[in-house]
Amino acid sequence: MKWKKQIANLKAYQPGRSIESVKKEYGLEEIIKLASNENPFGSSDRAKEWVQSYTSSYAIYPDGYATVLRSALSEFLGVKETQLIFGNGSDEVILMISRAMLEPGKNTVMADLTFPQYRHNAAVEGAEVREVPLVNGAHDLEAMLAAVDEQTAVVWLCSPNNPTGIYIKNDELIQFLNKVPQDVLVVLDEAYHEYVTADDYYNAVEIAEQYPNVIVLRTFSKIYGLASFRVGYGFGSEDVIRALEPIREPFNVNTLGAGAALAALSDQEFVEMCRTENKKGLEQFYQFCQSENLDYYPSEGNFVLINFKCDSDDVAQYLMRKGYIVRSGNALGCPGAVRVTIGSQEQNEGAIRAMKSFLAENSIRQ
């Protein structure tokens, strides 16, 4: 078989453990999954009602242009319909960008601890990957700028960053974009945008309007709670979107997903509730970390990265035995830490009790 040589050592994406697999392994009746940054409050009742009321034929292909969702999202964001592109999750838009712009002889710049699909897709396309170390969990924009040269095609910025939760401030981003060459595409991955409460977070719509070499990625998987439907999107200049459209697979957003996303978009009260509860949940974990002298990054996402300064797998395995699935830092590139999705107040309290039990049993004190 004539496989691409660059995929020889690649590994498939490894998702967090499923609830059913953990139940079976440990013989537990109830499992709380806090590993994949899913919404603990589910999704809007409007989205559920729309799906339950759908009676059209499943034999008909979806609207390949996602016309109704496109129109609503265009109005909601204040961008033109021709500035939008949709994907099977924002992961697919990342794949489209990589396929359209990366190849042997070109390079791409990203943080060294960020969403792994940037690196994965670049490797598939045979491009050079230039990773720049984070500073205190944040993108080092000056160092990333220094890594850009004439062969750089794409720069990836995840804000808030996964897995650290640190966001890019407005002034820092503008200074960076003013120096990036216009022929370099800057991707602002905002999967956790709706959770942000920081006052100095940038306005991505204004950024995309001002800088035609920027594309912003968002998703309905996180705060909207529609991860199983896989609906993501990007917006940017019409020229960028027009260039990407031929890469998009036909009918890539399914009918139920598009309809559920449309209904979810109309329920911003649900979004606000989730954002508020998430902020409260973060404070629960901050207080726990402070009381136990554990290092953590203050997060603007729906997760927090906590450094237990021991084998991450040991922490994750212990918590699983207690009925809580978290993400081991060994799988994320940050050994010694675990990433915990923010749950409901009750779920957070239970996870924290289990963490305190782990610390006590292992005599870990910082």
Side-chain angles (χ1 to χ4, degrees):
M1 297 291 185
K2 300 179 179 65
W3 302 108
K4 283 183 174 181
K5 62 180 181 180
Q6 56 262 34
I7 73 168
N9 296 316
L10 286 182
K11 295 181 180 179
Y13 180 77
Q14 297 296 316
R17 291 286 299 274
S18 71
I19 290 174
E20 291 307 317
S21 69
V22 174
K23 278 185 177 181
K24 182 177 180 180
E25 180 175 350
Y26 295 103
L28 297 170
E29 292 296 323
E30 182 179 8
I31 296 292
I32 305 299
K33 187 182 178 189
L34 302 175
S36 300
N37 302 341
E38 295 147 331
N39 191 334
F41 304 105
S43 52
S44 165
D45 286 342
R46 296 185 191 179
K48 297 175 188 176
E49 291 165 2
W50 186 90
V51 173
Q52 292 168 358
S53 67
Y54 182 79
T55 58
S56 298
S57 174
Y58 295 143
I60 305 300
Y61 280 110
D63 172 6
Y65 196 61
T67 304
V68 180
L69 177 59
R70 181 182 297 270
S71 176
L73 194 55
S74 168
E75 182 177 354
F76 178 77
L77 295 173
V79 302
K80 297 177 182 178
E81 293 184 13
T82 48
Q83 289 182 266
L84 287 163
I85 190 166
F86 290 90
N88 188 326
S90 56
D91 304 82
E92 191 192 19
V93 187
I94 292 169
L95 186 150
M96 292 181 212
I97 293 167
S98 302
R99 189 175 184 187
M101 302 200 71
L102 299 178
E103 60 187 342
K106 291 184 180 177
N107 68 72
T108 181
V109 177
M110 64 194 68
D112 72 339
L113 186 59
T114 191
F115 188 50
Q117 290 305 101
Y118 312 149
R119 163 182 262 282
H120 182 88
N121 283 292
V124 170
E125 301 303 331
E128 177 192 354
V129 175
R130 296 183 175 179
E131 294 177 298
V132 177
L134 297 174
V135 176
N136 296 323
H139 287 71
D140 186 343
L141 296 181
E142 284 299 319
M144 294 183 78
L145 188 65
V148 173
D149 63 18
E150 292 182 355
Q151 301 306 316
T152 303
V154 185
V155 174
W156 305 89
L157 303 177
C158 188
S159 177
N161 185 46
N162 179 11
T164 62
I166 304 295
Y167 69 102
I168 300 173
K169 297 178 180 179
N170 179 69
D171 291 347
E172 295 172 346
L173 179 61
I174 289 175
Q175 291 175 19
F176 175 79
L177 293 175
N178 284 338
K179 298 175 183 178
V180 174
Q182 291 298 299
D183 63 349
V184 173
L185 182 68
V186 177
V187 182
L188 283 177
D189 187 347
E190 291 193 320
Y192 303 95
H193 156 79
E194 291 86 0
Y195 285 107
V196 177
T197 60
D199 293 334
D200 53 356
Y201 192 63
Y202 55 86
N203 183 317
V205 174
E206 293 178 359
I207 290 291
E209 184 68 28
Q210 185 177 354
Y211 298 93
N213 62 325
V214 169
I215 184 170
V216 181
L217 308 187
R218 291 183 183 172
T219 182
F220 284 93
S221 294
K222 301 303 180 183
I223 207 166
Y224 288 102
L226 298 176
S228 65
F229 284 107
R230 313 305 301 126
V231 183
Y233 64 94
F235 61 87
S237 72
E238 291 178 287
D239 287 343
V240 167
I241 300 303
R242 188 182 304 113
L244 285 175
E245 273 291 345
I247 307 299
R248 182 177 61 82
E249 293 292 327
F251 313 116
N252 62 332
V253 176
N254 70 77
T255 300
L256 293 179
L262 178 65
L265 186 67
S266 72
D267 191 355
Q268 290 301 308
E269 290 183 2
F270 174 79
V271 171
E272 180 59 35
M273 181 275 289
C274 293
R275 179 166 44 241
T276 300
E277 292 301 313
N278 184 74
K279 195 68 175 178
K280 294 177 183 177
L282 283 168
E283 289 298 329
Q284 287 179 269
F285 282 101
Y286 295 166
Q287 291 174 17
F288 156 70
C289 291
Q290 291 160 10
S291 69
E292 300 292 338
N293 293 317
L294 297 175
D295 294 331
Y296 68 94
Y297 290 115
S299 174
E300 288 291 334
N302 68 333
F303 55 88
V304 60
L305 188 68
I306 303 173
N307 189 356
F308 282 82
K309 295 184 180 178
C310 63
D311 191 316
S312 301
D313 289 345
D314 289 347
V315 184
Q317 290 290 338
Y318 181 92
L319 294 177
M320 269 197 288
R321 290 196 295 270
K322 296 291 186 179
Y324 295 90
I325 308 175
V326 299
R327 196 77 157 121
S328 170
N330 289 341
L332 300 172
C334 43
V338 296
R339 190 191 66 193
V340 187
T341 302
I342 306 304
S344 66
Q345 179 179 344
E346 182 180 3
Q347 291 170 343
N348 298 335
E349 289 172 351
I352 288 170
R353 282 195 300 270
M355 290 176 181
K356 287 183 176 180
S357 176
F358 172 82
L359 293 173
E361 291 184 23
N362 291 274
S363 300
I364 295 175
R365 286 294 184 273
Q366 307 304 315

